[in-house]
mmCIF file with all atom_site columns, all heavy atoms in Angstrom:
data_model
loop_
_atom_site.group_PDB
_atom_site.id
_atom_site.type_symbol
_atom_site.label_atom_id
_atom_site.label_alt_id
_atom_site.label_comp_id
_atom_site.label_asym_id
_atom_site.label_entity_id
_atom_site.label_seq_id
_atom_site.pdbx_PDB_ins_code
_atom_site.Cartn_x
_atom_site.Cartn_y
_atom_site.Cartn_z
_atom_site.occupancy
_atom_site.B_iso_or_equiv
_atom_site.pdbx_formal_charge
_atom_site.auth_seq_id
_atom_site.auth_comp_id
_atom_site.auth_asym_id
_atom_site.auth_atom_id
_atom_site.pdbx_PDB_model_num
ATOM 1   N N   . ALA A 1 13  ? 5.998  -1.288  25.867 1.00 95.00 ? 207 ALA A N   1
ATOM 2   C CA  . ALA A 1 13  ? 6.469  -2.525  25.252 1.00 95.00 ? 207 ALA A CA  1
ATOM 3   C C   . ALA A 1 13  ? 7.039  -3.428  26.342 1.00 95.00 ? 207 ALA A C   1
ATOM 4   O O   . ALA A 1 13  ? 7.832  -2.974  27.174 1.00 95.00 ? 207 ALA A O   1
ATOM 5   C CB  . ALA A 1 13  ? 7.537  -2.224  24.206 1.00 95.00 ? 207 ALA A CB  1
ATOM 6   N N   . VAL A 1 14  ? 6.641  -4.695  26.337 1.00 93.00 ? 208 VAL A N   1
ATOM 7   C CA  . VAL A 1 14  ? 7.119  -5.642  27.344 1.00 93.00 ? 208 VAL A CA  1
ATOM 8   C C   . VAL A 1 14  ? 7.492  -6.963  26.676 1.00 93.00 ? 208 VAL A C   1
ATOM 9   O O   . VAL A 1 14  ? 7.039  -7.275  25.579 1.00 93.00 ? 208 VAL A O   1
ATOM 10  C CB  . VAL A 1 14  ? 6.052  -5.913  28.444 1.00 93.00 ? 208 VAL A CB  1
ATOM 11  C CG1 . VAL A 1 14  ? 5.728  -4.648  29.211 1.00 93.00 ? 208 VAL A CG1 1
ATOM 12  C CG2 . VAL A 1 14  ? 4.793  -6.523  27.843 1.00 93.00 ? 208 VAL A CG2 1
ATOM 13  N N   . SER A 1 15  ? 8.335  -7.734  27.376 1.00 93.00 ? 209 SER A N   1
ATOM 14  C CA  . SER A 1 15  ? 8.663  -9.085  26.938 1.00 93.00 ? 209 SER A CA  1
ATOM 15  C C   . SER A 1 15  ? 7.673  -10.061 27.563 1.00 93.00 ? 209 SER A C   1
ATOM 16  O O   . SER A 1 15  ? 6.856  -9.692  28.417 1.00 93.00 ? 209 SER A O   1
ATOM 17  C CB  . SER A 1 15  ? 10.079 -9.441  27.371 1.00 93.00 ? 209 SER A CB  1
ATOM 18  O OG  . SER A 1 15  ? 10.158 -9.493  28.790 1.00 93.00 ? 209 SER A OG  1
ATOM 19  N N   . LEU A 1 16  ? 7.765  -11.327 27.185 1.00 92.00 ? 210 LEU A N   1
ATOM 20  C CA  . LEU A 1 16  ? 6.866  -12.331 27.751 1.00 92.00 ? 210 LEU A CA  1
ATOM 21  C C   . LEU A 1 16  ? 7.086  -12.523 29.243 1.00 92.00 ? 210 LEU A C   1
ATOM 22  O O   . LEU A 1 16  ? 6.163  -12.936 29.953 1.00 92.00 ? 210 LEU A O   1
ATOM 23  C CB  . LEU A 1 16  ? 7.055  -13.669 27.025 1.00 92.00 ? 210 LEU A CB  1
ATOM 24  C CG  . LEU A 1 16  ? 6.430  -13.773 25.629 1.00 92.00 ? 210 LEU A CG  1
ATOM 25  C CD1 . LEU A 1 16  ? 6.872  -15.056 24.949 1.00 92.00 ? 210 LEU A CD1 1
ATOM 26  C CD2 . LEU A 1 16  ? 4.911  -13.713 25.708 1.00 92.00 ? 210 LEU A CD2 1
ATOM 27  N N   . ASP A 1 17  ? 8.286  -12.226 29.734 1.00 88.00 ? 211 ASP A N   1
ATOM 28  C CA  . ASP A 1 17  ? 8.530  -12.349 31.168 1.00 88.00 ? 211 ASP A CA  1
ATOM 29  C C   . ASP A 1 17  ? 8.359  -11.019 31.898 1.00 88.00 ? 211 ASP A C   1
ATOM 30  O O   . ASP A 1 17  ? 8.847  -10.831 33.000 1.00 88.00 ? 211 ASP A O   1
ATOM 31  C CB  . ASP A 1 17  ? 9.900  -12.970 31.458 1.00 88.00 ? 211 ASP A CB  1
ATOM 32  C CG  . ASP A 1 17  ? 11.044 -12.250 30.765 1.00 88.00 ? 211 ASP A CG  1
ATOM 33  O OD1 . ASP A 1 17  ? 10.797 -11.543 29.772 1.00 88.00 ? 211 ASP A OD1 1
ATOM 34  O OD2 . ASP A 1 17  ? 12.201 -12.407 31.207 1.00 88.00 ? 211 ASP A OD2 1
ATOM 35  N N   . GLY A 1 18  ? 7.661  -10.083 31.280 1.00 86.00 ? 212 GLY A N   1
ATOM 36  C CA  . GLY A 1 18  ? 7.258  -8.856  31.953 1.00 86.00 ? 212 GLY A CA  1
ATOM 37  C C   . GLY A 1 18  ? 8.307  -7.774  32.050 1.00 86.00 ? 212 GLY A C   1
ATOM 38  O O   . GLY A 1 18  ? 8.161  -6.829  32.828 1.00 86.00 ? 212 GLY A O   1
ATOM 39  N N   . ALA A 1 19  ? 9.370  -7.871  31.263 1.00 86.00 ? 213 ALA A N   1
ATOM 40  C CA  . ALA A 1 19  ? 10.433 -6.872  31.319 1.00 86.00 ? 213 ALA A CA  1
ATOM 41  C C   . ALA A 1 19  ? 10.154 -5.713  30.370 1.00 86.00 ? 213 ALA A C   1
ATOM 42  O O   . ALA A 1 19  ? 9.525  -5.881  29.330 1.00 86.00 ? 213 ALA A O   1
ATOM 43  C CB  . ALA A 1 19  ? 11.765 -7.517  30.965 1.00 86.00 ? 213 ALA A CB  1
ATOM 44  N N   . THR A 1 20  ? 10.659 -4.542  30.741 1.00 86.00 ? 214 THR A N   1
ATOM 45  C CA  . THR A 1 20  ? 10.571 -3.376  29.867 1.00 86.00 ? 214 THR A CA  1
ATOM 46  C C   . THR A 1 20  ? 11.922 -3.022  29.260 1.00 86.00 ? 214 THR A C   1
ATOM 47  O O   . THR A 1 20  ? 12.012 -2.129  28.423 1.00 86.00 ? 214 THR A O   1
ATOM 48  C CB  . THR A 1 20  ? 10.025 -2.164  30.640 1.00 86.00 ? 214 THR A CB  1
ATOM 49  O OG1 . THR A 1 20  ? 10.834 -1.941  31.803 1.00 86.00 ? 214 THR A OG1 1
ATOM 50  C CG2 . THR A 1 20  ? 8.589  -2.401  31.081 1.00 86.00 ? 214 THR A CG2 1
ATOM 51  N N   . THR A 1 21  ? 12.989 -3.699  29.704 1.00 85.00 ? 215 THR A N   1
ATOM 52  C CA  . THR A 1 21  ? 14.319 -3.534  29.123 1.00 85.00 ? 215 THR A CA  1
ATOM 53  C C   . THR A 1 21  ? 14.917 -4.922  28.888 1.00 85.00 ? 215 THR A C   1
ATOM 54  O O   . THR A 1 21  ? 14.342 -5.932  29.292 1.00 85.00 ? 215 THR A O   1
ATOM 55  C CB  . THR A 1 21  ? 15.247 -2.725  30.045 1.00 85.00 ? 215 THR A CB  1
ATOM 56  O OG1 . THR A 1 21  ? 15.461 -3.466  31.267 1.00 85.00 ? 215 THR A OG1 1
ATOM 57  C CG2 . THR A 1 21  ? 14.655 -1.368  30.384 1.00 85.00 ? 215 THR A CG2 1
ATOM 58  N N   . GLY A 1 22  ? 16.090 -4.948  28.255 1.00 87.00 ? 216 GLY A N   1
ATOM 59  C CA  . GLY A 1 22  ? 16.761 -6.222  28.045 1.00 87.00 ? 216 GLY A CA  1
ATOM 60  C C   . GLY A 1 22  ? 16.374 -6.920  26.754 1.00 87.00 ? 216 GLY A C   1
ATOM 61  O O   . GLY A 1 22  ? 16.755 -8.066  26.531 1.00 87.00 ? 216 GLY A O   1
ATOM 62  N N   . PHE A 1 23  ? 15.611 -6.252  25.892 1.00 91.00 ? 217 PHE A N   1
ATOM 63  C CA  . PHE A 1 23  ? 15.243 -6.794  24.590 1.00 91.00 ? 217 PHE A CA  1
ATOM 64  C C   . PHE A 1 23  ? 15.083 -5.626  23.618 1.00 91.00 ? 217 PHE A C   1
ATOM 65  O O   . PHE A 1 23  ? 15.034 -4.464  24.030 1.00 91.00 ? 217 PHE A O   1
ATOM 66  C CB  . PHE A 1 23  ? 13.945 -7.612  24.675 1.00 91.00 ? 217 PHE A CB  1
ATOM 67  C CG  . PHE A 1 23  ? 12.723 -6.797  24.994 1.00 91.00 ? 217 PHE A CG  1
ATOM 68  C CD1 . PHE A 1 23  ? 11.845 -6.424  23.988 1.00 91.00 ? 217 PHE A CD1 1
ATOM 69  C CD2 . PHE A 1 23  ? 12.442 -6.396  26.301 1.00 91.00 ? 217 PHE A CD2 1
ATOM 70  C CE1 . PHE A 1 23  ? 10.719 -5.658  24.271 1.00 91.00 ? 217 PHE A CE1 1
ATOM 71  C CE2 . PHE A 1 23  ? 11.314 -5.641  26.586 1.00 91.00 ? 217 PHE A CE2 1
ATOM 72  C CZ  . PHE A 1 23  ? 10.451 -5.275  25.576 1.00 91.00 ? 217 PHE A CZ  1
ATOM 73  N N   . LEU A 1 164 ? 2.273  -3.870  24.471 1.00 97.00 ? 358 LEU A N   1
ATOM 74  C CA  . LEU A 1 164 ? 2.708  -4.505  23.239 1.00 97.00 ? 358 LEU A CA  1
ATOM 75  C C   . LEU A 1 164 ? 3.679  -5.610  23.651 1.00 97.00 ? 358 LEU A C   1
ATOM 76  O O   . LEU A 1 164 ? 4.847  -5.349  23.978 1.00 97.00 ? 358 LEU A O   1
ATOM 77  C CB  . LEU A 1 164 ? 3.379  -3.508  22.294 1.00 97.00 ? 358 LEU A CB  1
ATOM 78  C CG  . LEU A 1 164 ? 3.806  -4.080  20.946 1.00 97.00 ? 358 LEU A CG  1
ATOM 79  C CD1 . LEU A 1 164 ? 2.613  -4.652  20.174 1.00 97.00 ? 358 LEU A CD1 1
ATOM 80  C CD2 . LEU A 1 164 ? 4.523  -3.031  20.108 1.00 97.00 ? 358 LEU A CD2 1
ATOM 81  N N   . VAL A 1 165 ? 3.183  -6.846  23.672 1.00 97.00 ? 359 VAL A N   1
ATOM 82  C CA  . VAL A 1 165 ? 3.945  -7.980  24.198 1.00 97.00 ? 359 VAL A CA  1
ATOM 83  C C   . VAL A 1 165 ? 4.802  -8.572  23.081 1.00 97.00 ? 359 VAL A C   1
ATOM 84  O O   . VAL A 1 165 ? 4.293  -8.948  22.012 1.00 97.00 ? 359 VAL A O   1
ATOM 85  C CB  . VAL A 1 165 ? 3.002  -9.058  24.775 1.00 97.00 ? 359 VAL A CB  1
ATOM 86  C CG1 . VAL A 1 165 ? 3.808  -10.194 25.394 1.00 97.00 ? 359 VAL A CG1 1
ATOM 87  C CG2 . VAL A 1 165 ? 2.063  -8.439  25.814 1.00 97.00 ? 359 VAL A CG2 1
ATOM 88  N N   . HIS A 1 166 ? 6.103  -8.664  23.352 1.00 96.00 ? 360 HIS A N   1
ATOM 89  C CA  . HIS A 1 166 ? 7.054  -9.177  22.371 1.00 96.00 ? 360 HIS A CA  1
ATOM 90  C C   . HIS A 1 166 ? 7.333  -10.661 22.613 1.00 96.00 ? 360 HIS A C   1
ATOM 91  O O   . HIS A 1 166 ? 7.419  -11.096 23.766 1.00 96.00 ? 360 HIS A O   1
ATOM 92  C CB  . HIS A 1 166 ? 8.358  -8.380  22.441 1.00 96.00 ? 360 HIS A CB  1
ATOM 93  C CG  . HIS A 1 166 ? 8.238  -6.999  21.886 1.00 96.00 ? 360 HIS A CG  1
ATOM 94  N ND1 . HIS A 1 166 ? 7.425  -6.028  22.447 1.00 96.00 ? 360 HIS A ND1 1
ATOM 95  C CD2 . HIS A 1 166 ? 8.819  -6.424  20.790 1.00 96.00 ? 360 HIS A CD2 1
ATOM 96  C CE1 . HIS A 1 166 ? 7.525  -4.914  21.733 1.00 96.00 ? 360 HIS A CE1 1
ATOM 97  N NE2 . HIS A 1 166 ? 8.354  -5.130  20.732 1.00 96.00 ? 360 HIS A NE2 1
ATOM 98  N N   . PRO A 1 167 ? 7.498  -11.432 21.553 1.00 96.00 ? 361 PRO A N   1
ATOM 99  C CA  . PRO A 1 167 ? 7.699  -12.878 21.693 1.00 96.00 ? 361 PRO A CA  1
ATOM 100 C C   . PRO A 1 167 ? 9.144  -13.217 22.055 1.00 96.00 ? 361 PRO A C   1
ATOM 101 O O   . PRO A 1 167 ? 9.889  -13.818 21.276 1.00 96.00 ? 361 PRO A O   1
ATOM 102 C CB  . PRO A 1 167 ? 7.323  -13.411 20.302 1.00 96.00 ? 361 PRO A CB  1
ATOM 103 C CG  . PRO A 1 167 ? 7.704  -12.295 19.383 1.00 96.00 ? 361 PRO A CG  1
ATOM 104 C CD  . PRO A 1 167 ? 7.397  -11.026 20.138 1.00 96.00 ? 361 PRO A CD  1
ATOM 105 N N   . CYS A 1 168 ? 9.557  -12.811 23.245 1.00 94.00 ? 362 CYS A N   1
ATOM 106 C CA  . CYS A 1 168 ? 10.921 -13.069 23.693 1.00 94.00 ? 362 CYS A CA  1
ATOM 107 C C   . CYS A 1 168 ? 10.948 -13.090 25.212 1.00 94.00 ? 362 CYS A C   1
ATOM 108 O O   . CYS A 1 168 ? 10.019 -12.611 25.877 1.00 94.00 ? 362 CYS A O   1
ATOM 109 C CB  . CYS A 1 168 ? 11.882 -12.000 23.163 1.00 94.00 ? 362 CYS A CB  1
ATOM 110 S SG  . CYS A 1 168 ? 11.552 -10.346 23.812 1.00 94.00 ? 362 CYS A SG  1
ATOM 111 N N   . VAL A 1 169 ? 12.015 -13.637 25.763 1.00 91.00 ? 363 VAL A N   1
ATOM 112 C CA  . VAL A 1 169 ? 12.274 -13.612 27.204 1.00 91.00 ? 363 VAL A CA  1
ATOM 113 C C   . VAL A 1 169 ? 13.496 -12.739 27.419 1.00 91.00 ? 363 VAL A C   1
ATOM 114 O O   . VAL A 1 169 ? 14.566 -13.001 26.858 1.00 91.00 ? 363 VAL A O   1
ATOM 115 C CB  . VAL A 1 169 ? 12.503 -15.038 27.746 1.00 91.00 ? 363 VAL A CB  1
ATOM 116 C CG1 . VAL A 1 169 ? 12.906 -14.987 29.217 1.00 91.00 ? 363 VAL A CG1 1
ATOM 117 C CG2 . VAL A 1 169 ? 11.246 -15.879 27.578 1.00 91.00 ? 363 VAL A CG2 1
ATOM 118 N N   . ALA A 1 170 ? 13.358 -11.706 28.227 1.00 86.00 ? 364 ALA A N   1
ATOM 119 C CA  . ALA A 1 170 ? 14.447 -10.742 28.393 1.00 86.00 ? 364 ALA A CA  1
ATOM 120 C C   . ALA A 1 170 ? 15.541 -11.251 29.316 1.00 86.00 ? 364 ALA A C   1
ATOM 121 O O   . ALA A 1 170 ? 16.703 -10.877 29.170 1.00 86.00 ? 364 ALA A O   1
ATOM 122 C CB  . ALA A 1 170 ? 13.886 -9.425  28.910 1.00 86.00 ? 364 ALA A CB  1
ATOM 123 N N   . GLY A 1 171 ? 15.188 -12.069 30.296 1.00 82.00 ? 365 GLY A N   1
ATOM 124 C CA  . GLY A 1 171 ? 16.207 -12.628 31.177 1.00 82.00 ? 365 GLY A CA  1
ATOM 125 C C   . GLY A 1 171 ? 16.441 -11.808 32.433 1.00 82.00 ? 365 GLY A C   1
ATOM 126 O O   . GLY A 1 171 ? 15.799 -10.790 32.688 1.00 82.00 ? 365 GLY A O   1
ATOM 127 N N   . SER A 1 174 ? 17.195 -7.697  33.041 1.00 60.00 ? 368 SER A N   1
ATOM 128 C CA  . SER A 1 174 ? 16.214 -6.695  32.629 1.00 60.00 ? 368 SER A CA  1
ATOM 129 C C   . SER A 1 174 ? 15.478 -6.126  33.831 1.00 60.00 ? 368 SER A C   1
ATOM 130 O O   . SER A 1 174 ? 15.577 -6.616  34.945 1.00 60.00 ? 368 SER A O   1
ATOM 131 C CB  . SER A 1 174 ? 15.216 -7.324  31.661 1.00 60.00 ? 368 SER A CB  1
ATOM 132 O OG  . SER A 1 174 ? 14.605 -8.447  32.259 1.00 60.00 ? 368 SER A OG  1
ATOM 133 N N   . ASP A 1 175 ? 14.723 -5.051  33.577 1.00 65.00 ? 369 ASP A N   1
ATOM 134 C CA  . ASP A 1 175 ? 13.927 -4.401  34.620 1.00 65.00 ? 369 ASP A CA  1
ATOM 135 C C   . ASP A 1 175 ? 12.499 -4.914  34.573 1.00 65.00 ? 369 ASP A C   1
ATOM 136 O O   . ASP A 1 175 ? 11.886 -4.978  33.514 1.00 65.00 ? 369 ASP A O   1
ATOM 137 C CB  . ASP A 1 175 ? 13.911 -2.880  34.421 1.00 65.00 ? 369 ASP A CB  1
ATOM 138 C CG  . ASP A 1 175 ? 15.266 -2.255  34.688 1.00 65.00 ? 369 ASP A CG  1
ATOM 139 O OD1 . ASP A 1 175 ? 16.033 -2.853  35.466 1.00 65.00 ? 369 ASP A OD1 1
ATOM 140 O OD2 . ASP A 1 175 ? 15.548 -1.197  34.105 1.00 65.00 ? 369 ASP A OD2 1
ATOM 141 N N   . ARG A 1 176 ? 11.993 -5.257  35.755 1.00 66.00 ? 370 ARG A N   1
ATOM 142 C CA  . ARG A 1 176 ? 10.602 -5.695  35.868 1.00 66.00 ? 370 ARG A CA  1
ATOM 143 C C   . ARG A 1 176 ? 9.918  -4.913  36.981 1.00 66.00 ? 370 ARG A C   1
ATOM 144 O O   . ARG A 1 176 ? 10.549 -4.481  37.920 1.00 66.00 ? 370 ARG A O   1
ATOM 145 C CB  . ARG A 1 176 ? 10.514 -7.195  36.193 1.00 66.00 ? 370 ARG A CB  1
ATOM 146 C CG  . ARG A 1 176 ? 10.949 -8.100  35.060 1.00 66.00 ? 370 ARG A CG  1
ATOM 147 C CD  . ARG A 1 176 ? 10.960 -9.547  35.517 1.00 66.00 ? 370 ARG A CD  1
ATOM 148 N NE  . ARG A 1 176 ? 11.382 -10.429 34.443 1.00 66.00 ? 370 ARG A NE  1
ATOM 149 C CZ  . ARG A 1 176 ? 12.642 -10.562 34.051 1.00 66.00 ? 370 ARG A CZ  1
ATOM 150 N NH1 . ARG A 1 176 ? 13.588 -9.870  34.662 1.00 66.00 ? 370 ARG A NH1 1
ATOM 151 N NH2 . ARG A 1 176 ? 12.950 -11.371 33.066 1.00 66.00 ? 370 ARG A NH2 1
#
Side-chain angles (χ1 to χ4, degrees):
V208 297
S209 65
L210 284 171
D211 54 339
T214 55
T215 64
F217 67 100
L358 183 59
V359 183
H360 288 64
C362 65
V363 175
S368 56
D369 291 334
R370 291 174 180 76

